[in-house]
Amino acid sequence: MKYSLRKTPSHLHLTYKYGESNGGLLGRNLLLEAEGNLLTLEIDLSANLLARNKQSPWYLDAIGLSSNYHKLKSLQCPDNLVRARLIRAWEGVSDPRLRMRLVLSPKGRYLYEVAPHSLFMGGIQLDVQAFLEDESETSVQPEASTVSEEADPDRNHA
C-alpha cells in the first residue's frame, strides 16, 4: 500500500562519505510504500535536473548525486510533516525495516537500506546502511566526444 507523505517540494540535505556534502536538493512526491514490515520511502528528485541554468546549485547537486550515488552517507529532511507521518507509519508496523529510493530520472533510481533518526531541531535524518545495487537502476550516459575530421570521412565540409 502506498501513502503520500508530501506532494509539494521539500528541501533535502545530502551527506556523502569522506566528508563531502551538498547544499541540497528539492524532493517532490514523497511516498511511503508498505509491504508487510518493509517500508520504502520514495523521493522524486528529477525536477532538479530540469533547471534551465545548468550552473544552479540544485542542478549541480543532482548531477553530483548521479555520479556519487554509491557514496551517499545520509539524507536529512527538515520537514516536520514528513517526520510525523513517517514516525506514525513506523510505529504502526512490528519490527519495521526502512529503505529509501531516490528517483533521479533519467539518470537512475537508487535504493538504499536506511536507519531513521529523529532530529532534535525537527525533521528526520536517514542514515544509509547499505546501497542496494541489485535493486537499483543506474544509467550510464556516454560522454559527448569530439570526432576528428580524419576519423569521420562522411563529414561534410563547408
Side-chain angles (χ1 to χ4, degrees), residues 10-13 76-81 83 119 121-124:
S10 186
H11 194 79
L12 306 171
H13 300 278
Q76 285 185 4
C77 180
D79 192 320
N80 281 324
L81 179 63
R83 173 187 170 197
L119 298 175
M121 300 288 286
I124 195 153

Side-chain angles (χ1 to χ4, degrees), residues 58-76:
W58 290 325
Y59 180 81
L60 294 175
D61 289 344
I63 294 297
L65 173 63
S66 71
S67 61
N68 293 319
Y69 59 86
H70 58 285
K71 295 183 195 175
L72 188 65
K73 182 179 174 186
S74 68
L75 179 139
Q76 285 185 4

Side-chain angles (χ1 to χ4, degrees), residues 82-107:
V82 171
R83 173 187 170 197
R85 291 177 175 175
L86 191 57
I87 288 173
R88 189 177 320 129
W90 181 267
E91 290 174 346
V93 176
S94 62
D95 193 28
R97 295 181 321 154
L98 183 62
R99 298 188 313 180
M100 173 178 67
R101 180 180 298 118
L102 300 179
V103 179
L104 192 61
S105 294
K107 299 284 186 185

Side-chain angles (χ1 to χ4, degrees), residues 14 16 25 40-43 45-46 49 61-72 99-114 128 130-141:
L14 282 70
Y16 296 95
L25 294 169
T40 304
L41 173 64
E42 183 173 298
I43 304 171
L45 303 171
S46 303
L49 291 172
D61 289 344
I63 294 297
L65 173 63
S66 71
S67 61
N68 293 319
Y69 59 86
H70 58 285
K71 295 183 195 175
L72 188 65
R99 298 188 313 180
M100 173 178 67
R101 180 180 298 118
L102 300 179
V103 179
L104 192 61
S105 294
K107 299 284 186 185
R109 298 164 55 93
Y110 314 112
L111 188 64
Y112 304 90
E113 185 177 325
V114 295
V128 173
F131 171 61
L132 305 174
E133 188 171 3
D134 294 341
E135 298 179 53
S136 296
E137 300 169 15
T138 59
S139 69
V140 179
Q141 299 291 331

